[in-house]
Amino acid sequence: MTAKLHPILSLGLWLTCAGTPKEAHAALAPERLYQKVLPSVMTLEVENQGGQRFVGSAVLARANDVALTAWHVVADARSVWAVFADGQRVKVIGCIDHNGRRDLAILKLEKRLPRRQAALCQELQPVAARAYVIGAPKGYDFSVSDGLISQIRSVNGFLQYQLSCPISPGNSGGPILNNRGEVIGIASWTKADAQNVSFAIPTREFMRLNVSQPPRTWEELAAIACPAPPARPSALGHGTEIPLEDKADARSFAAFKKQLNQSAGKSVTVVLQEESQTNTFTFTVK
């Protein structure tokens, strides 16, 4: 699918966030912005139906027991816990509403958390505006990075932010913020084999979901087999886009095991690299 620029946005027109107090329109210093938003950001500890565990991110918004995240983070969940920067852990009891095609999910927390909700901005931000992301890249929770809104593109039939912010697995579902500390989107997917080409779903898409209906438990969701969002076509017409929490590592390991099974009697050298440390092992496959 070829991405198209929105004709109005290409002229640089946008609206300010309706109903925001005048004084709230001032840009915040990055350190002030981080401290303002941090209480609303959570790391999601997810165990899926297969028993695998991984982390994603989310943000408390729309109610003091409701979190916004990307659907692919929890699509196959068996249990989910939210962990906040102050160490508080809260069970996520289920999903209130979701849209798999647009990678949206609204989650229900087990208890209310007053005075933690993030401010939302539903209006699309201009291209080249500063953007911030808070999440758990590679498990390093509550990390903040910044960049620009590189472009606003039509992908899969709706507008998405293209970002230059460094985003890694673990950031999925985390908030994208403007320079006032308002949530303008949720981190969703990244371009494979590219640097700092990632995409976020605008906040306004979440406003289409019904926050008032009772949540479905993870058992109920598993019973109706809600699918994860499909791999996205490349925005530039090259290859396939994948969710940030894709199973690439698992597939690579499976391919490695298959190759080992075909190498009986041969000498194999394996290089294990973990951060800055490298170890080399040589053995004969039996």
Side-chain angles (χ1 to χ4, degrees), residues 180-198:
R180 300 186 296 273
E182 298 163 333
V183 179
I184 61 171
I186 295 294
S188 176
W189 59 287
T190 190
K191 176 74 172 68
D193 302 320
Q195 293 184 347
N196 297 345
V197 181
S198 299

Side-chain angles (χ1 to χ4, degrees), residues 6-130:
H6 193 274
I8 295 178
L9 292 171
S10 65
L11 296 176
L13 301 179
W14 68 92
L15 297 175
T16 57
C17 298
T20 305
K22 197 169 184 179
E23 61 272 15
H25 286 276
L28 299 175
E31 57 270 28
R32 175 72 185 93
L33 181 149
Y34 179 75
Q35 292 301 323
K36 174 184 176 181
V37 180
L38 187 61
S40 66
V41 179
M42 63 197 82
T43 297
L44 296 181
E45 297 180 349
V46 181
E47 181 178 352
N48 67 14
Q49 296 294 326
Q52 297 172 309
R53 297 184 179 183
F54 55 92
V55 299
S57 301
V59 61
L60 195 72
R62 296 195 64 180
N64 56 21
D65 57 353
V66 170
L68 311 185
T69 191
W71 170 242
H72 77 262
V73 174
V74 297
D76 189 33
R78 181 165 67 188
S79 70
V80 183
W81 285 84
V83 182
F84 292 86
D86 61 3
Q88 185 167 188
R89 289 173 57 87
V90 180
K91 188 175 183 180
V92 181
I93 61 176
C95 182
I96 299 171
D97 198 6
H98 76 281
N99 183 320
R101 191 177 73 83
R102 300 196 176 200
D103 203 18
L104 315 172
I106 297 183
L107 309 182
K108 180 76 168 181
L109 276 59
E110 190 175 43
K111 67 177 183 178
R112 297 180 180 275
L113 299 170
R115 297 179 297 279
R116 284 182 178 261
Q117 289 184 65
L120 302 180
C121 183
Q122 299 182 48
E123 303 300 336
L124 289 173
Q125 305 296 287
V127 173
R130 178 67 59 184

Side-chain angles (χ1 to χ4, degrees), residues 220-281:
E220 290 171 335
L221 288 168
I224 61 176
C226 294
R232 293 170 170 78
S234 170
L236 301 178
H238 302 293
T240 302
E241 305 306 331
I242 51 179
L244 294 176
E245 269 69 27
D246 74 310
K247 303 301 185 292
D249 291 341
R251 290 198 299 267
S252 297
F253 185 68
F256 172 68
K257 289 173 62 180
K258 181 178 180 180
Q259 186 64 43
L260 279 183
N261 292 335
Q262 297 172 352
S263 302
K266 297 180 180 179
S267 179
V268 175
T269 299
V270 176
V271 178
L272 178 63
Q273 184 169 353
E274 184 175 1
E275 296 182 346
S276 61
Q277 185 175 1
T278 301
N279 295 302
T280 302
F281 305 90

Side-chain angles (χ1 to χ4, degrees), residues 152-175:
I152 300 176
R153 301 190 184 276
S154 178
V155 184
N156 285 355
F158 67 103
L159 297 180
Q160 302 182 28
Y161 290 120
Q162 178 189 332
L163 305 170
S164 68
C165 307
I167 292 177
S168 300
N171 278 121
S172 281

